[in-house]
Amino acid sequence: MTRPATPSKATKKSCACCIPLLSSPIGRKWIVALTGIALILFVIGHLLGNLSIFAGPDAMNAYAAFLKSTGELLWVVRIVLLTCVALHIWFTITLWRENLAARPQKYAEKNDLGITVYARLMRISGLTVLAFVLYHLAQFTWEAFNPEYKTWVDVQGRYDVYRMVVTAFSCPFVSAFYVLAVGLLGMHLSHGIASLFQTLGLTTEKLRPVFEKGGLIIAWIIFLGFASIPTAVLLHLVKLPSSLPTCPFCQ
Amino acid sequence: MSTMNFHLRLWKQKCASDKGEFIKIHATEIPSECSFLEMLDIVNNRLTREGKEPVSFASDCREGICGTCHMVINGVPQGPGRGAACQVYMRKFENGQPITVEPFRVGAFPIVKDLVVNRSAYDRIIRSGGFISEHTGGAPDASTSLIPKPVADAAMDAAACIGCGACAAACPNSSPMLFVGAKVTHLGLLPQGQAERKSRARNMVRTMQEEGFGNCSNYYACEAVCPANVPASVIAMLNREYIRGEVSEAIGAID
Amino acid sequence: MILDAKIPEGPIEKKWTSFKNNAKLISPANKRKFKVIVVGTGLAGSSASATLAELGYEVETFCFHDSPRRAHSIAAQGGINAAKNYQNDGDSVWRLFYDTIKGGDFRAREANVYRLAEVSGTIIDECVSQGVPFAREYGGELTNRSFGGAQVSRTFYAKGQTGQQLLLGAYSALSAQIRLGRVNMHENSEMLDLVLVDGHAKGIVTRDLITGEITSHAADTVLLCTGGYSNVYYLSTNARGSNVTATWRAYKRGAAFANPCYTQIHPTCIPVAGEYQSKLTLMSESLRNDGRVWVPKAKGDTRLTQDIPEEERDYYLERKYPSYGNLAPRDIASRSAKEVCDEGRGVGPGGLGVYLDFSAAIARLGEKTIRERYGNLFEMYGNITGENAYERPMRIYPAVHYTMGGLWVDYNLMSTIPGLHVLGEANFSDHGANRLGASALMQGLSDGYFVIPNTLGEYLSTQFGKKVSTDMPEFKKTETEVRACVEKLLAVKGNVPVDEFHRQLGLIIWDECGMARSEAGLKKAIADIRALRERFWKEVAIPGTGAELNQSLERAGRVADFLEFGELMCIDALTREESCGGHFRVEHQTPEGEALRHDDKFAEVYAWMFQGQDNDPELLREPLHYEAAHLATRSYK
């Protein structure tokens, strides 16, 4: 029998960049964590804006109009967010590829070893959220499914975002997909928030349970916040002025 | 003393390039007080008497401190309960229970034979920075550095690592970050370890990557199986130390 | 042959200093030209490899483990002594020296022991600067405890894992040198023979445990740091792999083996539970600081402990040794346990156990304090026995744990083979007939960090221009012999597993050469060992081949050596007609049953020289002169 070759002292793993920080596992994890923070902040901001729906059509349309009025700034934010999404996903994929390669043979007998379901589902939940975001953008930003949305304006001549949202969520299928997606987003965040503190090296033995609970609470708040909108629409707690028709599909 | 019976599935593999397979053994009349490795000894001695080749597994101190033993028992690296595989006792199992024993499945730990893997990658990680360079005979009196008890205790908790490889074996990504973090934390907390603090984390993480280990996803399976109770906060410390070291080098900062 | 210990002249306090002042030095440029082989990577081997490499020697280090960090030093729990006197309780180099000599029952070499005490402080400095996390006070100072009956607190410790932390310190120093390319490390390599060129140790033959390949390695000198031989008893607290092979094969090449009968039986181990048992687990001796040892007064008392009233309990150590009580030295505590068990008052399965009771300490200090002090030990005990020691007393029994005997070395740590140095537990030098608690770690590191770097020059300075290479016929011949030996084992093709022979050998030695030894018993043991050895070579089963990882083959080689070594051990015990330290001859005891030394005849080292397989070994004697310490009867009453 020959001595098994000493394990790969070989080539460095494929790296996105020649900067050691970005080719190293921890450096890339930091990027994922930092972009994660930006995306979480966006999600929270977006939620707060969306909740203006409960203040009525005027408040929501005014909020939408304010966003539009920021002009180039809005584009800067959009580009930053897009970059964050791209980096978050790209580095996750490169890390994932290395992780797959690091275990060429799986165990015959499985044991979860205390790993939470949220942690296990990070990739699935992340990808589902990504798919949802694309759909969501198509629906409300690009108005790809319902070109007539573009023509809806309120009495002050602003885009009638309120009508668009209520109309869309009046459809139970749209609402159901939305709730499912924000549910997965919540799961993604409950691991992601606690995890980013660990990755950024801010955790101690005492703080970890605090971050884990905190992450779970924030995730629930975000989930309930987002889910409250379609729920309220379906329960007719939020509704259109009676003159306007509802969901075109369900009629 | 009562005896027990078990349905064993033990991994047999001639060498790294061999495919390997489970062999099934019905192990009868095993004393309930014996340890898991003693049960394997009994099985191996019976195989030997029958003229068959026993199943190779590594073990040495058999009290959980040397880190030689390494195996996965029913999906759990180092077996159920705290401690290394040598500290698992048969009374923890049900009579008649099926038990699967397989080697650590980590790409960076190639299989030597049966349940024995080559963990020299861990030695190479230590060699790349897991030490304090000092010259024998040149040390100042031990009482000159004061180390507050909480710091000394935290350093000791990290230093307790036995280098068995269970962290990488448990991690779905085969990441050894608990092992690397333990050494970086142990030396990084002590005043004696400050001089090489930045280069230590940098070099050890680079070696870890070169050896083909995976990356931490904060699953904490490592912490759940660690026989030495090393806390996952050492990974947080490693993350911090590494970035500090890498950034310092990138921008040319001396301090 | 006359044993010359090469002890420097002068008063004991000056010997080491004057030695260093006059020692032969090797210049840095010349150190590079000398190659040193180190076998073993425990405290002695790792520290010697690292330090010699640091000095500039070319070092080649071997261990049979898969990593140098796994050597058995790692399992030492209690602590390491040093005469620092940080506690201001009256400790000094002299006191540590005297305690060690007295603890060893006046059978150790004074000069070596004094040197050990002298360098003890620098070991602590060294380890702290390597990052060994010794226990500290809240203010940050190092803390100490009293250990193994010492009347001062001079023991430094790192939780119950002092050996681990010290070894990892030495391992990290070794790792740093490996990284710099100054040490060439060979893991999974077992030394199977020593190669002599013109009577000098110039190399070794090893077997690669993974591939089975047998190779030779040449050097200018060889350092054996291969530990002790406790596993001759089969059940001991040593790791399964610990063995006598390296020192035994050196013995067969001409190195004298000194005092093999001196073995230490540790009083606080978890009792044997059954025949399947593969090893014994030591519970740190520190437990005796707070635990009280007792057995029932009545024979065969099977009541539960809580049903045995105070007046029906025999706290025999407190009764017999009022001033030391439960902290009586190891040999005394062990033998007392054996006595009460022999009287039929032992507890637990088979009656081989005594109680170590913490109820008084828990009542006095609270369970929390006890948990803080010994939590990990209680947990370990619970895990192994399934019993909760907070609620009921622990059961303990003595087990073999350390061997004071080893290859004979002079003051320079060189054996009777020129060029063969022996360090740590593998040599015989510092502990006499019984080792003081927390002194083993001290000796291993002292030899490796501070002694050998100074003494190696004495030999190497005579070796300029005497290069050897593995192409020499001496190497080829030894290699062939090793191959033949492996093949001989594989050719037996019996059907009895190796463990079976090892277990039987262990029983013989434990019964007849254990805590109490008698002439008749030892003679019987020698006959039994010979018969067992004969059976071994007819019936041992070694499946598989020699060209692969073959654990049966590894074990068979080691057991074959134990089967020869056990006989020498009994011969030594038979020849030493006195009781001292760990060696208790029933024929030689005081009327109270204490060990009776015969200083007039036996204040000497017995070193045995191999005279061929079929001949009796030759006995060489090194008289021990006590110039500083005065011979006294140990009394712990």
Side-chain angles (χ1 to χ4, degrees), chain B residues 124-142:
Chain B
R124 288 190 291 275
I125 291 177
I126 293 291
R127 279 166 205 169
S128 68
F131 49 78
I132 292 172
S133 301
E134 52 85 55
H135 201 281
T136 306
D141 190 279

Side-chain angles (χ1 to χ4, degrees), chain A residues 30-251:
Chain A
W30 268 57
I31 305 283
V32 173
L34 293 172
T35 53
I37 293 179
L39 296 172
I40 290 167
L41 290 176
F42 163 74
V43 165
I44 292 172
H46 186 53
L47 171 64
L48 291 176
N50 285 7
L51 288 178
S52 66
I53 200 168
F54 291 105
D58 185 50
M60 189 165 210
N61 291 345
Y63 162 67
F66 161 73
L67 284 186
K68 286 253 168 196
S69 72
T70 52
E72 283 94 44
L73 187 65
L74 183 64
W75 276 105
V76 171
V77 172
R78 280 175 171 164
I79 288 167
V80 168
L81 281 174
L82 264 179
T83 315
C84 284
V85 169
L87 292 174
H88 196 79
I89 295 172
W90 172 251
F91 284 121
T92 306
I93 291 173
T94 65
L95 288 164
W96 183 31
R97 280 183 48 216
E98 289 173 20
N99 294 342
L100 283 179
R103 169 138 318 146
Q105 189 168 0
K106 303 276 174 249
Y107 287 110
E109 192 82 21
K110 304 270 188 289
N111 189 304
D112 70 12
L113 302 172
I115 301 174
T116 63
V117 145
Y118 305 140
R120 279 188 187 281
L121 292 180
M122 280 309 266
R123 285 184 297 269
I124 303 277
S125 58
L127 288 173
T128 316
V129 169
L130 174 68
F132 166 74
V133 167
L134 292 175
Y135 165 80
H136 190 65
L137 286 172
Q139 185 176 26
F140 290 133
T141 309
W142 308 324
E143 290 143 348
F145 308 131
N146 308 83
E148 71 274 18
Y149 286 177
K150 284 194 176 60
T151 62
W152 291 353
V153 287
D154 68 358
V155 287
Q156 293 180 40
R158 298 174 300 202
Y159 274 117
D160 197 347
V161 176
Y162 182 86
R163 182 181 167 196
M164 182 170 77
V165 170
V166 177
T167 307
F169 283 146
S170 308
C171 169
F173 299 111
V174 173
S175 288
F177 181 43
Y178 184 86
V179 172
L180 175 77
V182 292
L184 284 168
L185 175 67
M187 287 168 73
H188 197 79
L189 292 183
S190 74
H191 177 74
I193 291 172
S195 187
L196 72 89
F197 283 101
Q198 172 80 356
T199 299
L200 297 179
L202 303 172
T203 323
T204 65
E205 263 175 275
K206 270 194 182 163
L207 282 177
R208 197 169 99 207
V210 176
F211 291 142
E212 275 170 3
K213 280 217 179 70
L216 194 65
I217 291 169
I218 294 173
W220 268 104
I221 291 173
I222 288 172
F223 166 68
L224 291 175
F226 279 117
S228 71
I229 299 169
T231 312
V233 170
L234 288 179
L235 293 176
H236 297 293
L237 300 174
V238 169
K239 54 191 171 202
L240 292 180
S242 54
S243 59
L244 295 167
T246 52
C247 172
F249 301 117
C250 302
Q251 275 165 354

Side-chain angles (χ1 to χ4, degrees), chain B residues 44-54, chain C residues 493-497 541-544:
Chain B
N44 273 345
N45 282 336
R46 286 180 190 165
L47 287 172
T48 305
R49 280 183 194 279
E50 289 163 15
K52 294 179 190 152
E53 250 203 80
Chain C
K493 298 203 184 300
N495 62 355
V496 181
I542 305 170

Side-chain angles (χ1 to χ4, degrees), chain B residues 63-113:
Chain B
E63 51 187 78
I65 193 79
C66 73
T68 304
C69 60
H70 57 279
M71 58 183 73
V72 178
I73 304 169
N74 284 344
V76 183
Q78 304 294 40
R82 275 290 168 199
C86 59
Q87 291 166 290
V88 175
Y89 283 79
M90 294 321 290
R91 61 173 172 277
K92 288 187 183 157
F93 295 87
E94 303 277 327
N95 194 10
Q97 188 179 339
I99 300 175
T100 301
V101 191
E102 51 189 320
F104 282 2
R105 302 276 187 208
V106 176
F109 295 160
I111 290 189
V112 173
K113 188 180 178 186

